[in-house]
Amino acid sequence: VFINTNGVISLSDPVTSFNPDPFPLRNRFMIAPFWADVDIRGTGEVYFYETIDRNLLQSAKRIILRATHQAAGFSRFNPTWMLVATWYKVGYFSRHADMTNTFQALLVTNGQHSFVIFNYLDDGINWNKGDASTVPAQVGFNFGGEMLRTITLPGSRLEKCYWY
């Protein structure tokens, strides 16, 4: 697992591109809470941790059950591990600190089923591309194996997206 500065968690190789490529992407396995031209040289930090804390896992479970409406038997989902990745008050290229973004991704699993939860601080998304970017931020998932599966949040890669 790679926690990339650019707002991507990749599961096979690091992602160095600051311009988000449109999903679907063959042979790329990534979770993109906010794939953009993040630059922490001026401000912000990226950190992560793993946890098996029962209280945190139960909080994540409640969010998952609310989101799935307990469909497909997930009412019995009991998470056993979670990865928390946070991009805190990150700036954008080139070393800009006038506007910052704060967002988070939680990867939650029980070893059989896995979920991801995206969290965005209220008023926490204030920019969507850096000086060198040609494309605004993209949010979603890309699992580019044999069974290509992708989800791109509506509004991704648009100058005037409604989620920021």
Side-chain angles (χ1 to χ4, degrees):
V1 173
F2 298 89
I3 312 300
N4 301 276
T5 304
N6 59 4
V8 173
I9 299 171
S10 51
L11 305 176
S12 53
D13 299 313
V15 176
T16 57
S17 175
F18 54 85
N19 267 325
D21 296 320
F23 296 157
L25 300 171
R26 288 266 175 225
N27 301 316
R28 297 306 299 255
F29 301 88
M30 64 176 66
I31 299 162
F34 195 85
W35 185 6
D37 199 0
V38 174
D39 188 345
I40 59 172
R41 295 176 299 168
T43 187
E45 56 187 321
V46 179
Y47 56 91
F48 67 94
Y49 63 92
E50 298 175 66
T51 186
I52 56 171
D53 179 271
R54 173 175 280 191
N55 292 328
L56 293 175
L57 292 172
Q58 288 305 306
S59 292
K61 176 182 178 175
R62 283 190 295 277
I63 293 168
I64 291 164
L65 293 180
R66 208 169 38 243
T68 61
H69 305 288
Q70 301 183 16
F74 289 121
S75 62
R76 292 188 304 269
F77 176 73
N78 287 306
T80 56
W81 178 87
M82 180 167 57
L83 172 74
V84 179
T86 304
W87 289 259
Y88 181 74
K89 293 189 177 182
V90 294
Y92 57 99
F93 188 82
S94 169
R95 296 184 185 200
H96 290 288
D98 60 321
M99 294 184 290
T100 62
N101 289 352
T102 298
F103 53 95
Q104 186 178 66
L106 313 176
L107 280 64
V108 185
T109 188
N110 65 0
Q112 181 180 9
H113 300 287
S114 299
F115 296 88
V116 65
I117 300 167
F118 293 158
N119 291 317
Y120 301 91
L121 188 65
D122 287 344
D123 298 320
I125 302 297
N126 298 293
W127 59 267
N128 71 353
K129 72 178 191 176
D131 294 345
S133 304
T134 58
V135 179
Q138 178 167 278
V139 176
F141 313 85
N142 188 85
F143 295 96
E146 291 289 320
M147 303 223 6
L148 186 62
R149 295 185 182 130
T150 67
I151 296 173
T152 302
L153 188 73
S156 290
R157 302 172 50 84
L158 298 176
E159 292 290 338
K160 296 289 184 184
C161 55
Y162 64 86
W163 38 266
Y164 114 71

